[in-house]
């Protein structure tokens, strides 16, 4: 089982990107899917998670700009990122944990390979 991210790229500040997370070998509906990000020299941080119980923000800095959604028919999870800022530059990962969301990266046991997001000023 694995997760595959896509949709990263380079944009200017104020732009938008949509990241996709595709579970392979399992369906996400029984899992919490969390987007994490890691900037150079910084610790990995949770951004936004979705589970059967709804969505949970872990990064206050993205509230009002990022949203998470899922498409059961396509077995996909998306991270819509609007009004991007240079400080959003990072490698973005999606990760899965059974049944729920958690802030702690250590609790997630299925990870994608990451996708780079670069925001220029």
């Amino acid at each position: 089982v694995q997760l595959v991210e896509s949709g990263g790229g380079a944009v200017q500040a104020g732009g938008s990107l949509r990241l996709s997370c595709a579970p392979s070998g399992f369906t996400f509906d029984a899992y919490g899917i969390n987007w994490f990000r890691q900037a150079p020299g910084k610790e990995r941080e949770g951004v936004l998670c979705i589970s059967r119980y709804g969505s949970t923000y872990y990064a206050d800095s993205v509230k009002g700009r990022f949203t998470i959604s899922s498409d059961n028919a396509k077995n996909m999870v998306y991270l819509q990122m609007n009004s991007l800022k240079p400080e959003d530059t990072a490698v973005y990962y999606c990760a899965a944990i059974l049944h729920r969301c958690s802030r702690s990266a250590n609790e997630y046991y299925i990870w994608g390979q990451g996708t780079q997001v670069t925001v220029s000023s």
Side-chain angles (χ1 to χ4, degrees):
V1 295
Q2 61 179 337
L3 295 165
V4 180
E5 303 99 335
S6 61
V11 296
Q12 290 189 330
S16 298
L17 283 173
R18 188 179 76 161
L19 306 183
S20 299
C21 175
S24 177
F26 68 103
T27 55
F28 72 85
D29 55 345
Y31 288 79
I33 305 291
N34 197 349
W35 284 96
F36 289 86
R37 65 185 181 183
Q38 187 164 21
K42 294 187 177 181
E43 292 187 356
R44 189 170 298 188
E45 68 166 344
V47 178
L48 194 52
C49 184
I50 190 168
S51 72
R52 63 178 66 180
Y53 304 109
S55 60
T56 303
Y57 283 91
Y58 291 123
D60 290 340
S61 63
V62 308
K63 288 181 180 178
R65 301 188 297 120
F66 291 12
T67 56
I68 192 169
S69 63
S70 61
D71 186 328
N72 286 12
K74 295 183 178 179
N75 197 33
M76 294 282 281
V77 175
Y78 304 101
L79 182 68
Q80 179 66 45
M81 305 186 295
N82 299 327
S83 302
L84 283 160
K85 303 176 180 180
E87 51 264 42
D88 295 318
T89 295
V91 178
Y92 284 72
Y93 302 86
C94 62
I97 185 174
L98 195 60
H99 295 319
R100 62 185 176 89
C101 287
S102 171
R103 180 185 298 272
S104 173
N106 292 333
E107 297 193 50
Y108 290 79
Y109 45 85
I110 306 173
W111 287 84
Q113 80 289 350
T115 185
Q116 176 71 46
V117 171
T118 303
V119 185
S120 59
S121 57

